[in-house]
Amino acid sequence: MVQLITNAKGFFNDMTEEVRLFLGQTDILPYAPEAEVKLYVVLYQGEAKCLAMPSHLERVVPVQAGLDALDVKRQQKRALKLCVYQVMQSLYPTATPWGSLTGIRPTKLFREIAGRQGEEEARRSFRELFTVSPVKQALVEEITGVQRPHIESVAPKSASVYLHIPFCRSRCLYCSFGAEVAKRDGILSEYADHLIEDIQKGAELLQEAGFSVRTFYFGGGTPTVLSAEDIERVLSALERAYGVAGHEFTVEAGRADTITREKLRVLKEHGVTRISINPQTMNDRTLQAIGRFHTAADIAASFELARQEGFSCINMDLIAGLPGENVEDFARTLEAVKAFDPENLTVHTLAIKHSSRLKARLEEYPLPDGTAVEQMVLMGAEAARGMGMQPYYMYRQKYMQGNLENVGYAKPGTECVYNIDMMEETVSILSHGAGAMTKRVYGVGERVERLPSPKDVPTWYQKQEKLFAEKKRLFFD
């Protein structure tokens, strides 16, 4: 248990993330007299100071000047997190691969510093200030280089359109997303009706506001849980309302047990250029343990079916660190994926989310340790490079094993533009569907405003009109 007392209460959760880098899921409270470690963190006008008791360790970090009020807040948060990290590192001398960085987007941070002060200063900051390991810093620099031409191609009024299907065949053990298991008859067709109505209004909004569509992304959940007829209805409505996307059209056909030849043909007929078929693992024992209804053989059959139907850009997702798996299990999965030879591979690190069944039942599911998971992630990177891929986007999540990352790899020229735009926050996103996030990006990520849709499907139905009015305010601002 740790006691953390601060005058910067608005940054309390940010500082606890630094503590958890060293102490995992320990309790961190603003008042805990019995705590073995007590941190006192003070934010002054020009500096942040952290004092640890009873060791009397103290670290002070200057607050850099900000360009505006939002940037001042960003610099204050950064200084507070750094001083807490430095104290914790002195108390618990453990190397963390990402140093003090706990944010989702290390690449965006690198670009931000490089844009202001040059790439040499960005490198120095990552190396000396944030103490990022050389391996992770090299990964950031490689990804930002691959992303550069895609980001430079962003037009002033570009937007991507995201469609969300918050339904799956089953709920995975590790899942914390607001996705429902589609049980009631007619629930998916009813949802498609509302989605089509939302698409029509959204297209009118973007056109009136003068935006052009850069990419389409149809995600979830599992979009292919819809029938072929409902997919046809939704994509026909999208086509009528928006026309075609400028760069690409991605559909997550994630689960092999939802993929049919008929559905693939509907996707192809409506201009889908990229699909995801996501094994997570090619070990049947693990698939059963995490709550998937399909087998490794089903995944292979679905991939072959997609090739037969003419899909020349296929992504496959894997998760390193799944319950019960070891390095040898992950190696077998990679060998199977290499035989498929997909154009994209995304290697995720298992994140133990609070609202997942895995978190509630951790004692039932043995997990590989951080060292094993790090080895799996490195094996994934080697396998991707062996297939001629390079890393092109990355993001991190809270509660990831080994404090690692998720990385998307692609053969040159097959990078998912939507993934880059979304993760680097360089393009506005108009979303349709329950649980989806609309973003208005000002400049190239200088300021971002977010508008979440309700995760509960009936609530989304009721609030569609209100949400549309709020989207209109965002895009006409």
Side-chain angles (χ1 to χ4, degrees), residues 32-49:
E34 68 277 23
E36 294 182 7
V37 177
K38 298 180 181 180
L39 302 178
Y40 300 88
V41 187
V42 180
L43 177 65
Y44 297 102
Q45 187 173 1
E47 64 183 24
K49 179 185 293 185

Side-chain angles (χ1 to χ4, degrees), residues 25 86 124 132 134 145 225 287 318 335-336 339 356 360 373 380 405 452-453:
Q25 298 305 304
Q86 290 174 7
R124 189 202 65 78
V132 174
V225 76
L287 287 169
L318 303 179
E335 286 304 310
S356 67
V373 176
E405 66 282 329
S453 298

Side-chain angles (χ1 to χ4, degrees), residues 44 47 178 202 217 219 250 314 339 348 388 412 466:
Y44 297 102
E47 64 183 24
Y217 197 100
T250 294
I314 301 177
H348 296 267
K466 182 182 177 183

Side-chain angles (χ1 to χ4, degrees), residues 158-174:
S158 290
S160 288
V161 175
Y162 176 79
L163 311 183
H164 189 64
I165 301 296
F167 297 98
C168 286
R169 285 286 307 278
S170 63
R171 190 172 182 83
C172 291
L173 182 69
Y174 50 77

Side-chain angles (χ1 to χ4, degrees), residues 172-444:
C172 291
L173 182 69
Y174 50 77
C175 181
S176 66
F177 294 139
E180 301 180 22
V181 177
K183 293 180 178 178
R184 176 168 63 81
D185 288 344
I187 190 171
L188 296 176
S189 291
E190 179 186 11
Y191 183 84
D193 291 340
H194 285 271
L195 191 61
I196 289 167
E197 180 184 348
D198 202 45
I199 286 168
Q200 292 166 345
K201 291 182 177 179
E204 292 172 6
L205 186 160
L206 274 194
Q207 288 161 11
E208 289 175 17
F211 282 80
S212 60
V213 178
R214 182 169 160 90
T215 64
F216 290 135
Y217 197 100
F218 197 3
T222 309
T224 45
V225 76
L226 297 178
S227 67
E229 292 77 15
D230 283 333
I231 294 173
E232 164 71 35
R233 290 198 302 127
V234 170
L235 296 191
S236 292
L238 186 75
E239 209 168 69
R240 287 192 303 271
Y242 284 104
V244 297
H247 282 71
E248 68 189 15
F249 189 166
T250 294
V251 175
E252 291 181 2
R255 300 241 195 152
D257 53 354
T258 67
I259 297 172
T260 66
R261 188 180 295 277
E262 186 181 9
K263 292 178 186 180
L264 290 170
R265 284 183 177 171
V266 170
L267 298 180
K268 194 69 179 173
E269 287 167 3
H270 285 279
V272 173
T273 58
R274 178 180 180 271
I275 62 171
S276 286
I277 297 174
N278 299 333
Q280 315 302 14
T281 176
M282 291 295 287
N283 296 301
D284 286 341
R285 169 179 46 82
T286 310
L287 287 169
Q288 184 176 13
I290 64 177
R292 297 222 161 190
F293 292 155
H294 57 78
T295 64
D298 294 330
I299 295 163
S302 296
F303 191 94
E304 176 59 27
L305 202 59
R307 287 295 198 218
Q308 290 173 11
E309 292 303 317
F311 286 95
S312 58
C313 188
I314 301 177
N315 171 72
M316 304 190 88
D317 279 10
L318 303 179
I319 300 179
L322 286 170
E325 289 214 339
N326 55 32
V327 170
E328 289 73 25
D329 293 322
F330 196 71
R332 282 193 293 273
T333 289
L334 290 172
E335 286 304 310
V337 168
K338 284 192 283 188
F340 296 136
D341 193 24
E343 285 66 43
N344 297 174
L345 175 68
T346 308
V347 180
H348 296 267
T349 302
L350 180 68
I352 305 169
K353 298 298 186 66
H354 281 303
S355 56
S356 67
R357 289 187 295 123
L358 176 60
K359 173 65 175 176
R361 299 166 59 187
L362 265 178
E363 69 282 354
E364 301 176 35
Y365 296 96
L367 298 177
D369 62 24
T371 301
V373 176
E374 186 171 12
Q375 186 176 349
M376 293 177 194
V377 168
L378 290 172
M379 290 164 58
E382 290 172 5
R385 292 189 188 280
M387 289 186 281
M389 300 180 189
Q390 57 190 355
Y392 77 98
Y393 90 111
M394 170 182 58
Y395 67 101
R396 303 179 65 226
Q397 297 169 281
K398 293 181 181 179
Y399 317 122
M400 295 181 82
Q401 290 179 281
N403 187 35
L404 294 164
E405 66 282 329
N406 306 318
V407 181
Y409 300 89
K411 294 180 180 179
T414 70
E415 297 87 3
C416 177
V417 177
Y418 175 87
N419 281 339
I420 295 172
D421 290 344
M422 182 269 297
M423 198 48 61
E424 301 304 314
E425 297 188 315
T426 52
V427 170
S428 296
I429 297 173
L430 182 64
S431 68
H432 300 292
M437 178 73 75
T438 290
K439 293 181 183 180
R440 176 66 199 278
V441 175
Y442 298 85
V444 185

